[in-house]
Amino acid sequence: MKRRGFIKLGAAVGAATTVKASGLDGWADLTNFDKKRVLSANRFGMFYATIQSGEVVETVPFEGDYFPSPMIRAVADRSQNQTRVEYPMVRKSYLQAQGPSNNDLRGKEEFVRVSWETALDLAAKQMRTTFDKHGPESIYGECYWWGGSGRVSWGRTVSRRMMKVLGGFVTESGDYSTGAGLVIMPHVVGGSAVYDTPTKWKSVLENAKNVVIWGQDPIVTNQINWAIPLHRCFQDFEKLQKASMSKKIRTFTVDPRINDTARYLNSKHIAVKPGTDVALMIGMAHYLYTKKLYDAKFIKKYTVGFNKFKQYFLGKIDGEVKDIQWAEKITGVKASEIAKFATTLSKERTLLLCGRALQRQDHGEQAHWMCTVLSAMLGDIGMPGGGIEFSLGYNSSGSTDKIAPTIAGISQSIPEKYSKKYPNAPWLKNHDYVIPSSRSIEALENPGKEIDQNGKKIKLPHIRVMYNASGSPFTRHQDVNNMIDQWKKVDTVITAEPYWTSTAKMSDIVFPVATELERVDIDQTGSTKEYIIARKAHIKPAGESQSDFWICRELCKRWGYEEVFTEEKTEMQWVEFIYANAVKKAKSLNLKMPSFETFWKKGYVQFPDDDKSSENYTRYEEFRKNPYKSKLGTPSGKIEIFSPVISKFGYDDCKGYPSWIEPQEWLGKKELAKKYPMHIVSPHSKYRLHSQLNNSYIRGLYEKSGREPLLLNKKEAKKREINDGDIIRVFNDRGEILAAAHITEEVIDNVAVMCEGAWYSPEVPGEKSLCQHGNVNVLTIDKGTSKLAQSNIAHTALVEIEKFKGVIKPINAFSKPKIVQGL
């Protein structure tokens, strides 16, 4: 037979076999002729996956993605990964005791493969008995935001729904990304600001003359999305680059390093020392006021409390004038440069893009407050394309919206009909126990301790059971070594996870979770809402993996409330229900959507029409036009430069007006800086989503010597006799990690830059020891920002660096734990 004829025959056989094995049964019968191209999506974008012999072998971008992320290339590796949890597992001594036992052996002891029935029975029993004895404060179930996705079987939503059925659990207000901003901004502008609808890029490009990117790197952060990104905003960044290069718009970046966005836009770099942004802004405010460059009319009409703040920066309150010379001593930015910067911004319309990193510092509330005050003094708030922005640099936002329905998802709430059916149900007698974002480990350390937050006293709960899904606290949370000690105090740790993360290895019960290509779901692209996407189970789940929905349903079944959790629907029926709801919403917009069968077969429905009504939207525009008719949500209805509410709290670390408060650690703390002379900051990596994909081949694109790279400049490297690529030890009193030196002139003196999210790889699992791989949170501080928000301060940490002289040992981050087949 000629080759061409063989290929034709092969195609025919392949097509026939694919139809035969279209379900998940019979996967072992697949051959190399079983090849198909399917559409799917995740938090990195939409993509086509080529599936051959039941495995993903290639991914290519969807044609509707404007600027596809290279991260979608890792889908194959992510699906067929050496770190997959394939079967239900229970830690050996926990299984022997049929409950809590030898907590200090977590991370060290073997796991035993068990049946789903055994694992679920153990978990359900421990959760039920613990809750019945100790109530909601005993069950921790925050379950973070970024792991997995979908509107039916997203781990966070269904896990929290399951624990609602249980009767309630410990949850967190806010989040690690924007915790301080979410608390301070309602006092300042009457809304969250950090998640509110942002100004559109169209308005910025047409009207702004200065764009200041302060403490963020949107070229990197916009690669991923809380929903599915189409990266439309990169079209706007191309236009912004063109405007920047032609001097039509001046762009500035304020950052300790020259980041990707600064390089792309060729921005003017304002090199500020980490943690001193507020001092820089206050110095600018003093200069604008004394040089009469501020907008006095805007301050008078749209704000309250300026006089109190003015007394502060003029030194009337504490005797210290906060002028540009004062700011230079703190920030390292020359007074002449501060003056020029402030003058430039005052002359023409300015947009301040203030990043989330600014409020992930000690006293992070002050940064967002002061950004708002500075923008108010410039007078551009509410003017087309100008003012202040806190969300424009994230989630591919700011592009023109599409006219489209917004799909709902399975809710965390329990329908009223089941409350009537079960009048004595535990969810009717209890309520969730809420603590500030990132205070969970402090609760383990000090159960019952009373802390302040936003004018209230909060008693930290006594957590006895932790249920983890959609994230790994051992990469997310600060001060990992302290966390290891406190983790031992928990009776039971249950983790639902596709991979053997450090958190999974430190658990008692581990449920294997199916990934997006292994289960059904429905989703929608973020920001513009342009596509609704059918998510099909295209490949067999690894081992005995199941969806989070299935796992949580089975737990609820054991408590007698399966129908309450499912609302008597299967996952597929939930998909159909959500789609039907979207069809109804579309009708109200005069849009016609295809039948569900047509949608499911095609894989998506597109909404191509632009929403012209919002394409020039500017935040606070209506307030600017009429501050009396369109009042803000603050007590005064205006921007509160001085907040009487906060002032009455009487906090020593958050006054009634924005102020410079010395951080716990910073380069100006002379005695500490002698011992630890480098300030380490930990931005997002452009090669992963937090810790996701660190276990994929993409790691090889950026790691050096098998370690997470740490950026430092030539001067700092020379002092320590460090060469590019050397394995280095980074340490402080909290811990030590290994990294690989990357020498660059894009980082200022006394600053080290190391991306967050590297998987934790302790030399001695379960103990305080050297992290061989480079998890930066071994070095960070676990402390609340202030009594107001109590959020995290991940960017506040001093370290020292030296060339590593010990024995370089293998990394265990990507190895499975010891597993035995039975007791």
Side-chain angles (χ1 to χ4, degrees), residues 775-791:
N775 178 1
V776 73
N777 272 329
V778 171
L779 307 169
T780 53
I781 306 169
D782 186 8
K783 170 191 172 297
T785 48
S786 78
K787 295 182 179 70
L788 187 77
Q790 294 283 5
S791 191

Side-chain angles (χ1 to χ4, degrees), residues 190-373:
S192 84
V194 295
Y195 289 128
D196 292 345
T197 302
T199 297
K200 296 298 183 185
W201 276 113
K202 188 174 186 293
S203 183
V204 175
L205 292 164
E206 290 176 356
N207 299 286
K209 296 300 179 184
N210 302 303
V211 173
V212 181
I213 300 169
W214 203 315
Q216 64 172 301
D217 193 359
I219 290 291
V220 170
T221 54
N222 275 301
Q223 286 190 99
I224 52 94
N225 199 319
W226 60 269
I228 296 164
L230 287 176
H231 306 106
R232 292 281 184 260
C233 67
F234 283 89
Q235 294 173 303
D236 301 305
F237 277 109
E238 287 181 335
K239 294 174 184 176
L240 182 60
Q241 184 202 46
K242 192 175 291 184
S244 181
M245 294 297 188
S246 65
K247 308 301 182 185
K248 181 183 175 183
I249 296 177
R250 299 178 204 85
T251 60
F252 303 83
T253 55
V254 186
D255 203 288
R257 63 179 178 133
I258 301 173
N259 59 33
D260 283 25
T261 304
R263 289 196 301 274
Y264 179 70
L265 298 176
N266 194 29
S267 300
K268 167 67 177 174
H269 181 220
I270 309 295
V272 63
K273 289 179 182 178
T276 67
D277 304 89
V278 171
L280 176 58
M281 291 183 234
I282 293 172
M284 292 172 70
H286 180 279
Y287 185 82
L288 290 170
Y289 176 77
T290 55
K291 299 299 181 182
K292 298 183 179 179
L293 294 173
Y294 80 110
D295 192 331
K297 291 182 179 179
F298 183 90
I299 292 295
K300 183 177 181 180
K301 185 174 182 180
Y302 298 97
T303 76
V304 295
F306 181 74
N307 286 336
K308 189 74 172 180
F309 175 61
K310 179 179 70 175
Q311 289 179 327
Y312 168 69
F313 68 66
L314 290 177
K316 305 294 185 183
I317 294 176
D318 58 8
E320 186 171 36
V321 177
K322 284 74 173 181
D323 57 16
I324 56 177
Q325 287 76 26
W326 168 85
E328 177 181 344
K329 293 175 183 176
I330 295 171
T331 67
V333 183
K334 291 185 179 298
S336 58
E337 188 174 3
I338 299 173
K340 185 178 180 181
F341 185 36
T343 300
T344 301
L345 301 189
S346 72
K347 296 298 184 183
E348 294 183 281
R349 189 165 301 169
T350 295
L351 175 68
L352 299 182
L353 269 71
C354 295
R356 296 171 182 174
L358 296 176
Q359 49 89 68
R360 288 197 294 270
Q361 305 179 80
D362 205 4
H363 314 113
E365 299 89 346
Q366 307 305 312
H368 274 27
W369 197 350
M370 193 57 224
C371 280
T372 309
V373 173

Side-chain angles (χ1 to χ4, degrees), residues 573-594:
Q573 287 170 335
W574 268 107
V575 170
E576 293 180 31
F577 174 80
I578 291 168
Y579 186 82
N581 184 261
V583 170
K584 292 179 183 177
K585 291 180 180 179
K587 284 182 180 178
S588 68
L589 298 170
N590 296 316
L591 299 172
K592 186 176 181 181
M593 291 172 61

Side-chain angles (χ1 to χ4, degrees), residues 85-98 105 107-120 122 500 504-505 507-512 544 816-823:
V85 180
E86 298 175 285
Y87 304 99
M89 299 283 175
V90 180
R91 187 169 58 82
K92 185 177 178 180
S93 60
Y94 191 96
L95 182 62
Q96 289 171 326
Q98 290 291 291
L105 293 181
K108 305 172 185 176
E109 190 176 26
E110 303 100 321
F111 279 90
V112 182
R113 177 182 169 180
V114 298
S115 66
W116 267 110
E117 287 73 19
T118 297
L120 288 164
L122 270 174
W500 279 109
K505 293 174 185 177
S507 301
D508 300 309
I509 302 170
V510 182
F511 296 139
E544 294 177 1
K816 292 185 178 183
K818 292 179 182 178
I819 295 171
V820 296
Q821 297 299 310
L823 291 176

